[in-house]
Amino acid sequence: MKNARQSPPIRLQGWYEAHGRRDLPWRNTRDPYAIWLSEIMLQQTQVATVLARFYFPFLERFPTLQSLADASEEEVLKAWEGLGYYSRARNLHKAAQMAAPELPRNVEGLLALPGIGRNTAHAVASFAYGIPVPVMEANVKRALHRVFARERMSEAELWEAAEALLDRDNPFTHNQAMMDVGNYVCTPKQPKCLLCPLNAICEGKTAWERYPAPKEKKTTPVREKIILVPATLDGRYWLSPRETKLLGGLYGFPEFAKGEAVAWKGQAVDVATLRHLGPVTWVYSHFKLAGEVYLLPTTPLGENSWYTLEEITRLPLAGVDLKIVEMLRSRER
Ligand code: SF4
């Protein structure tokens, strides 16, 4: 990879001072815990959503790494409710328990924690500790393809390109500016090349639409499910913590793949005889769930897993189960 520092100078410092999103709260702290939290939240969620609903309440609930480590998994999942991709919250919690009272102060130590990949480790290292390592999120990748006029780059080539551009004396500003350029200037359509601080070194700017080459579109598989909502006459519902990798620790109603035998407490259930509450859908990263929800009137059988709607609101639930609870709520109104 050509060393871009031998090319005409790039003007990220001055550009960031004038145009960067310097108001973001995680850019105005050197607290590695708060920076790490923002990086994990922003992995799959828009800045505006994280800012409006999640970052501050989570920090208020768990202000330090130690307080997060001391919490139960259920408390952490509850605070994460609505953000999705719950393995992020479980890994955050595990990593806090491994590292408390303080996150490691180097890239290798950060990489050893669950849920921290190279980009997150580099972000925390450069933003909190000023270590000269580049970041690499989706918008930065697009800009790098264009700067180096490459249709396709492997992960290794992307990191090499990012290292070549990195301003080792100012890794904080450089990385923040690269993310802003990728997000707001080198946009997928109609990049603002005339305003771009990378313009002088950008080899792909006259044919930006070629870089990167479009990915082949994958179709999202649909998983059809039957979802039972066991309910008592006095308005209590049965849920239990899930044990799946995707939603482990979150409470949910019993689910069955369409075509699979439906049973409750060892008894076969004839779904055709049940009240149909409605369809429910949810899009996960690699599949779409299409469920049909049925009410199963039953007796509580003396177990602990029965909750009123009021009690359910205190449990951590996945998005699809929140939708079902909303169905039940509108039924009770
Ligand atoms: S000059 Fe244009 S194509 Fe090149 S990085 Fe900047 S915005 Fe993207």
Side-chain angles (χ1 to χ4, degrees), residues 142-144 146-147 181 185-187 191-200 202-206 208:
R142 180 175 55 251
L144 289 173
R146 290 175 176 170
V147 167
V181 167
V185 183
C186 195
T187 46
K192 302 168 191 70
C193 298
L194 291 177
L195 304 174
C196 179
L198 301 175
N199 187 300
C202 182
E203 296 169 13
K205 60 183 178 256
T206 54
W208 56 264

Side-chain angles (χ1 to χ4, degrees), residues 26-316:
W26 43 85
R27 293 185 175 184
N28 287 297
T29 176
R30 290 290 170 125
D31 175 3
Y33 167 62
I35 291 168
W36 170 52
L37 176 68
S38 72
E39 287 293 323
I40 300 294
M41 286 187 167
L42 292 167
Q43 275 172 8
Q44 315 280 352
T45 313
Q46 303 275 337
V47 170
T49 311
V50 167
L51 266 183
R53 290 173 43 208
F54 295 104
Y55 179 72
F56 294 111
F58 196 96
L59 274 182
E60 201 166 301
R61 179 78 186 74
F62 309 112
T64 60
L65 190 68
Q66 189 66 58
S67 61
L68 181 61
D70 293 341
S72 69
E73 185 179 275
E74 196 165 311
E75 288 172 306
V76 177
L77 288 171
K78 185 68 194 165
W80 202 264
E81 191 177 87
L83 260 170
Y85 301 91
Y86 291 90
S87 58
R88 291 185 294 172
R90 288 192 294 273
N91 281 334
L92 203 67
H93 186 222
K94 269 188 230 147
Q97 290 180 325
M98 287 167 70
E102 206 177 69
L103 281 172
R105 299 183 67 86
N106 56 61
V107 171
E108 296 70 32
L110 290 163
L111 279 172
L113 295 173
I116 299 192
R118 189 166 172 187
N119 178 52
T120 306
H122 284 199
V124 174
S126 61
F127 300 150
Y129 308 132
I131 296 173
V133 282
V135 293
M136 182 69 62
E137 30 100 283
N139 296 321
V140 172
K141 286 182 184 176
R142 180 175 55 251
L144 289 173
H145 279 89
R146 290 175 176 170
V147 167
F148 291 94
R150 296 280 305 274
E151 290 183 5
R152 288 197 175 81
M153 294 172 90
S154 66
E155 284 294 307
E157 287 170 332
L158 282 163
W159 281 110
E160 199 187 330
E163 290 280 355
L165 281 188
L166 180 66
D167 177 350
R168 290 177 185 279
D169 297 328
N170 301 289
F172 179 99
T173 318
H174 175 92
N175 283 338
Q176 304 287 16
M178 282 299 290
M179 291 197 291
D180 283 353
V181 167
N183 207 2
Y184 307 112
V185 183
C186 195
T187 46
K189 290 184 182 154
Q190 299 181 326
K192 302 168 191 70
C193 298
L194 291 177
L195 304 174
C196 179
L198 301 175
N199 187 300
I201 61 157
C202 182
E203 296 169 13
K205 60 183 178 256
T206 54
W208 56 264
E209 64 283 352
R210 285 178 51 194
Y211 314 112
K215 285 193 186 141
E216 281 172 34
K217 279 218 166 123
K218 286 189 203 148
T219 50
T220 312
V222 177
R223 292 190 193 166
E224 293 182 303
K225 301 260 185 181
I226 301 292
I227 302 172
L228 289 188
V229 178
T232 62
L233 281 179
D234 63 351
R236 284 180 296 149
Y237 303 94
W238 191 92
L239 299 94
S240 66
R242 294 180 189 281
E243 287 171 8
T244 58
K245 193 165 170 231
L246 184 67
L247 300 174
L250 296 167
Y251 284 67
F253 298 102
E255 274 182 18
F256 304 85
K258 205 164 179 191
E260 185 189 349
V262 177
W264 164 250
K265 300 288 172 198
Q267 301 281 318
V269 173
D270 180 2
V271 171
T273 64
L274 301 181
R275 167 128 180 235
H276 182 221
L277 291 177
V280 70
T281 57
W282 196 260
V283 180
Y284 294 97
S285 56
H286 53 295
F287 70 94
K288 180 177 166 185
L289 183 148
E292 296 295 342
V293 186
Y294 293 89
L295 195 71
L296 175 69
T298 184
T299 47
L301 303 170
E303 289 179 27
N304 293 331
S305 300
W306 295 92
Y307 302 94
T308 62
L309 283 182
E310 182 54 34
E311 288 163 345
I312 291 174
T313 60
R314 292 195 284 275
L315 301 173

